[in-house]
Amino acid sequence: MQATLRTSFEVLAMRLAQLLLIAPLVISLPEAGHAEGDCSGALGTARTLGVGTEGGLEIGLKSYPRTLALAEGEFVLTFDDGPLPATTGLVLDALKRECVKATFFLVGRNAQANPDMVKRMLREGHTVGHHSYSHPALTLRGISDAAARSEIDRGFAADDQAAYGEAGGPRVPFFRFPGFADTRTLDDWLASRNIAVFGADLWASDWYPMTPAAQLALLMGRVDKAGRGIILLHDTRAQTAAMLPAFLAALKERGYRIVHIVPRAGRSETLPAPPGWSSETEAALTKIMPRLLQSEHGERAAIEPR
Ligand SMILES: [Zn+2]
């Protein structure tokens, strides 16, 4: 289960991390200082931003040359791959304590298995987006276009069934490709359905095993450097769930503000990437995909009868 939830991109990133020997930094994890249900001393949600998806939208500087029009100091929290009972509940608890609204990009089969958790996300005011049905190990780029469309649509249906009790979807037209492995054809298909493709502006690299304290130090360094943006985390990672209360406390301490994104009609204003931009995920995928497909064919050859 764990292996299939991990994208090839993430697996490669993990190997690179091991090579780079990211050393755990020793820092303390402060406790949240106010009671649940009381938002007066909490980080809170500074504003809600309607995201118009008419004609499609591709945002997130790790993959695309444009991103959301956030002001300096504003961040959007996004969580991928859940819900999983062991960790997603802790993430929701931490967000609730700090009165923070986030966006969850669900894996359809996890939503199907944990509908109560999806309903809790809605009840607590979060946005429920989509991340394919099964998060295929080969990514959607590594399977046929027809199979990829089916993965995407099955994901929408499973998520919406879990969330709203009906699969008419997607009700929230926000999609993120597993491993950021999009294709032009799929991007255009989603755009023709007025569905936004979300990348990320920064991430926690929480696919690398590390202590919550190391995770926090790494992420806060990136937050300070970026100054604003869409943050990618994984609510399926125990280290992320463990770090989250301290992360939210650190954001508050440094005066950063949380923006909650929700769908709206029309088109969105976006900001361009800085000059000299290039897609970090595309560079990684160009290296990974041939190896990934080769290993799959190798495995198939080994198990196929002659
Ligand atoms: Zn994912």
Side-chain angles (χ1 to χ4, degrees), residues 28 31 52-53 62 92 112 128 130 160 173 186 190 213 253 279 303:
S28 64
E31 296 291 324
T53 63
K62 290 283 193 185
L92 288 169
Q112 209 166 47
V128 169
H130 313 279
D160 277 16
L186 291 170
L190 290 165
E253 192 187 307
S279 170
I303 57 169

Side-chain angles (χ1 to χ4, degrees), residues 26-254:
V26 180
I27 56 170
S28 64
L29 298 171
E31 296 291 324
H34 56 94
E36 191 170 313
D38 170 16
C39 291
S40 56
L43 171 59
T45 301
R47 70 178 174 116
T48 299
L49 173 64
V51 177
T53 63
E54 191 186 316
L57 185 68
E58 294 167 8
I59 45 171
L61 299 178
K62 290 283 193 185
S63 303
Y64 306 110
R66 303 198 71 86
T67 194
L68 287 178
L70 297 172
E72 188 64 31
E74 288 187 334
F75 289 93
V76 172
L77 297 185
T78 69
F79 294 88
D80 282 12
D81 292 3
L84 283 190
T87 46
T88 304
L90 295 172
V91 166
L92 288 169
D93 291 346
L95 295 173
K96 191 176 181 184
R97 266 196 308 274
E98 290 297 326
C99 306
V100 166
K101 309 295 182 209
T103 297
F104 290 83
F105 289 92
L106 306 182
V107 167
R109 65 180 179 190
N110 291 345
Q112 209 166 47
N114 305 288
D116 291 349
M117 207 147 260
V118 180
K119 288 187 177 71
R120 180 178 168 192
M121 289 170 181
L122 291 179
R123 216 167 42 239
E124 296 180 1
H126 303 295
T127 297
V128 169
H130 313 279
H131 194 45
S132 85
Y133 179 73
S134 71
H135 210 300
L138 287 178
T139 76
L140 299 185
R141 191 181 288 192
I143 60 179
S144 73
D145 189 58
R149 289 177 193 221
S150 165
E151 260 290 333
I152 291 172
D153 272 335
R154 279 184 76 198
F156 290 153
D159 296 343
D160 277 16
Q161 185 67 43
Y164 316 109
E166 59 177 26
R171 207 177 281 199
V172 174
F174 294 174
F175 180 75
R176 185 179 268 149
F177 280 90
F180 302 102
D182 65 351
T183 69
R184 193 64 259 162
T185 309
L186 291 170
D187 287 340
D188 290 346
W189 177 63
L190 290 165
S192 75
R193 298 169 66 186
N194 301 318
I195 294 166
V197 174
F198 276 79
D201 294 320
L202 64 156
W203 51 48
S205 298
D206 55 357
W207 45 80
Y208 304 161
M210 66 183 100
T211 65
Q215 180 79 84
L216 177 63
L218 180 67
L219 181 54
M220 283 312 297
R222 290 174 180 177
V223 162
D224 289 339
K225 191 170 171 219
R228 74 179 86 182
I230 305 165
I231 302 177
L232 164 66
L233 298 155
H234 289 81
D235 57 306
T236 50
R237 299 286 292 161
Q239 69 198 40
T240 300
M243 168 209 73
L244 196 58
F247 174 54
L248 299 177
L251 290 175
K252 179 172 169 51
E253 192 187 307
R254 298 192 199 184

